[in-house]
Amino acid sequence: MQTITIHGRRTLHGSIRPAAAKNSTLPLLAATLLCDGPCRLRDVPRLADVDTSLALLDAVGARVRRCGADLCTRPADRLCGDIPEHLAGAMRSSVFYLAPLLCRVGYVRLPLPGGCRLGPRPVDIHLAGLAAMGAEVELEGIAVTLRRTGPLHGVDFTLRLPSVGATMTLLMAACCAAGQTVLRGAAQEPEIGDMIAFLSACGADIQGAGTPVLTVQGGRPLGGAFHRPLPDRIAAATYAAALACAGGQIEIAGCDPASYDSFLRFLTGTGVQVSRAGDCVRLARDPAVPLRGGAHLRADAWPAFATDTAPLAAAVLLTAAGESEIYDSLFANRFACAAGFAAMGAACTVRGRQLTLPGGAVLHGTDVTAPDLRGGAALLAAALAADGETAGMKIYPPHCAGWGQRFPETARRLPLTLHHRAGHARPLRGSRPGTRPIMAAPLLKFFTFLHKVCSFALKTQSLSRPALSKRAGQAVFFYEFLAKVLKLRGKFAILINSYM
């Protein structure tokens, strides 16, 4: 676990450039499995979810490595369709491996994915679309298994809601399916356009980018491509929210203002000065002048107000004059950060998906815990407006760790006054005092290797279990024993990462 200590009431000044978007990078890494040639994703930040994705790619047999700031992949000779439970449970983005592994291997088994606790996030649209293309879907408690007996085929499919994840999954599947696929009601977020740009650079034929109807001519060979993921628009909005809370003057460069236009317009309505010039945005605010409240926001699919920026807007409105309301149409537990706001002195109320903010709060420093990635960013922004010191913001759960690692660099550029302390590796529970600490990375590599050994023994042998070699049988037994005793199912990665 990591902690960040923030000293509030300090204005921000400087220039910052958002890194590549996590929400684009993670599905692009999965999409490289479809390619027959080498791929290179440029300037990919070192995030916890990126590291998990690299471990997942390695676990299924892909060839991937870091090349400086870039990620390089090469076609794999042989892939495995079994996704390890400890990796699937560590991040929501493991769902993006359904389509590539189904197309390349012929089957895929995915334990239910993890991620931020934002309420129900079903994968039924992913499965319904793949089933329409010819996949056989089998649900088995905590996991889903997909198989195909022949190539997937094109289909005319309507998404019941514009899910970004489902649109990306079905785009990847459609590129490998025979014939034409039409996706109606598709998501239109910028990350969808980035996926289309990458697949098109690899040789795919996709029409309709930026519209709710996408047409894919499938069956074309996909080579490799060099691609730079688009800048993180949510990170840009986070920096803008920090400025609104703290005051000062900053420049956000290298990120198209149109990608977070709704948030910039919201800030303008609160009294923040916003000017745009090309891919740069300059923001200024006098902290002596109160912000204007009275906002009524509804977070929804693009091009509406982005759900990931809803907690940031809440942080800005805590001290604004006038009551405001924010409703999130997509996630039931988006405002888990409200408990942290209340601890700082804000009288906010959550009713279902709606957050009500009376405004005019006088915030004070206290200990708070980040409930999820975006909620943690909102608490940090609010702490910048608090009197005194927010004594310790704990970065938890583990998938928030990458955000905590990036923030000190942001602080140096703006600059912010804070102290950052990363958690240190400690012995697992039950270790004797004085024993050597067990580090997370070697453990993850060990269990990834062990899973590959077991999968090979079970999937490639046509013999029954008693006929397996002695060592393979012992490996299978050992892994199954650990899975049962430790109850892996997504919890093992959380246990390990919590000691980092």
Side-chain angles (χ1 to χ4, degrees):
M1 186 183 295
Q2 303 174 51
T3 61
I4 295 178
T5 302
I6 303 109
H7 299 267
R9 296 291 184 178
R10 312 285 178 91
T11 57
L12 307 183
H13 300 273
S15 178
I16 191 150
R17 182 179 294 267
K22 182 195 79 164
N23 289 347
S24 188
T25 299
L26 299 184
L28 289 177
L29 281 171
T32 61
L33 291 174
L34 299 172
C35 300
D36 295 327
C39 297
R40 190 178 187 116
L41 301 183
R42 296 194 177 277
D43 293 330
V44 176
R46 292 183 178 273
L47 305 177
D49 279 356
V50 171
D51 290 339
T52 302
S53 294
L54 298 183
L56 197 158
L57 286 167
D58 181 71
V60 300
R63 301 161 61 189
V64 58
R65 62 186 178 92
R66 280 198 174 272
C67 305
D70 302 346
L71 292 178
C72 302
T73 68
R74 291 187 176 276
D77 298 329
R78 184 172 186 173
L79 294 174
C80 170
D82 288 290
I83 297 176
E85 293 182 66
H86 62 281
L87 295 175
M91 65 173 186
R92 173 72 180 176
S93 298
S94 56
V95 72
F96 292 122
Y97 291 83
L98 281 173
L101 290 175
L102 177 64
C103 293
R104 289 292 309 277
V105 182
Y107 82 94
V108 57
R109 183 182 183 277
L110 173 71
L112 295 181
C116 292
R117 302 180 185 120
L118 301 177
R121 304 170 80 178
V123 296
D124 61 304
I125 304 177
H126 302 249
L127 301 181
L130 293 172
M133 293 181 183
E136 299 174 2
V137 181
E138 177 184 347
L139 297 174
E140 43 179 311
I142 66 149
V144 59
T145 300
L146 280 74
R147 294 183 176 85
R148 61 177 178 84
T149 55
L152 299 179
H153 56 77
V155 68
D156 193 315
F157 183 78
T158 301
L159 286 75
R160 66 175 178 83
L161 56 86
S163 163
V164 174
T167 300
M168 289 185 173
T169 290
L170 299 182
L171 270 175
M172 289 186 280
C175 288
C176 297
Q180 176 177 284
T181 295
V182 179
L183 301 177
R184 305 182 189 276
Q188 303 171 61
E189 274 76 358
E191 291 77 14
I192 298 295
D194 203 31
M195 171 65 78
I196 292 175
F198 172 75
L199 293 173
S200 298
C202 294
D205 183 356
I206 305 173
Q207 304 297 323
T211 75
V213 180
L214 301 175
T215 303
V216 184
Q217 303 297 334
R220 295 171 178 258
L222 298 181
F226 284 25
H227 183 78
R228 187 185 302 276
L230 56 75
D232 195 332
R233 61 191 175 101
I234 307 302
T238 302
Y239 306 145
L243 178 282
C245 291
Q249 184 172 349
I250 67 170
E251 178 185 80
I252 303 171
C255 184
D256 185 2
S259 66
Y260 58 116
D261 174 72
S262 61
F263 194 78
L264 293 176
R265 285 188 283 109
F266 155 72
L267 290 180
T268 300
T270 65
V272 177
Q273 300 175 35
V274 179
S275 61
R276 314 183 191 200
D279 66 352
C280 293
V281 174
R282 295 180 178 87
L283 303 102
R285 183 206 157 206
D286 182 355
V289 179
L291 293 169
R292 295 190 295 270
H296 297 274
L297 304 175
R298 184 183 182 89
D300 212 329
W302 179 274
F305 197 82
T307 178
D308 281 347
T309 63
L312 300 172
V316 173
L317 294 169
L318 290 175
T319 60
E323 182 175 280
S324 301
E325 294 178 346
I326 308 175
Y327 183 86
D328 194 293
S329 303
L330 301 181
F331 296 116
N333 197 32
R334 172 55 79 184
F335 299 113
C337 55
F341 292 154
M344 292 184 190
C348 51
T349 304
V350 179
R351 290 187 177 87
R353 296 171 180 261
Q354 180 169 299
L355 176 66
T356 302
L357 304 156
V362 178
L363 303 179
H364 57 79
T366 186
D367 279 3
V368 293
T369 299
D372 54 68
L373 183 64
R374 308 306 178 188
L379 290 175
L380 190 147
L384 297 175
D387 288 320
E389 174 181 294
T390 301
M393 173 180 288
K394 297 177 178 62
I395 307 302
Y396 187 85
H399 40 266
C400 299
W403 170 81
Q405 293 161 4
R406 283 202 311 282
F407 195 78
E409 176 62 25
T410 301
R412 287 191 289 272
R413 294 188 182 188
L414 291 182
L416 305 177
T417 303
L418 56 78
H419 303 288
H420 174 257
R421 180 175 64 83
H424 299 285
R426 296 180 290 179
L428 293 177
R429 296 185 184 115
S431 297
R432 298 191 309 274
T435 56
R436 185 178 180 181
I438 301 176
M439 303 299 290
L443 269 176
L444 289 176
K445 290 182 179 179
F446 170 72
F447 279 99
T448 298
F449 170 75
L450 186 58
H451 182 272
K452 291 170 71 174
V453 171
C454 298
S455 297
F456 177 80
L458 291 174
K459 298 295 182 182
T460 65
Q461 299 288 337
S462 60
L463 303 176
S464 62
R465 179 172 298 184
L468 292 174
S469 70
K470 181 179 179 180
R471 290 187 179 180
Q474 289 174 341
V476 171
F477 174 80
F478 184 49
Y479 180 78
E480 291 177 348
F481 172 76
L482 286 173
K484 184 177 294 184
V485 173
L486 297 176
K487 298 180 180 178
L488 288 178
R489 305 197 178 194
K491 299 179 182 178
F492 184 67
I494 294 176
L495 173 65
I496 294 299
N497 283 323
S498 65
Y499 285 85
M500 292 183 66

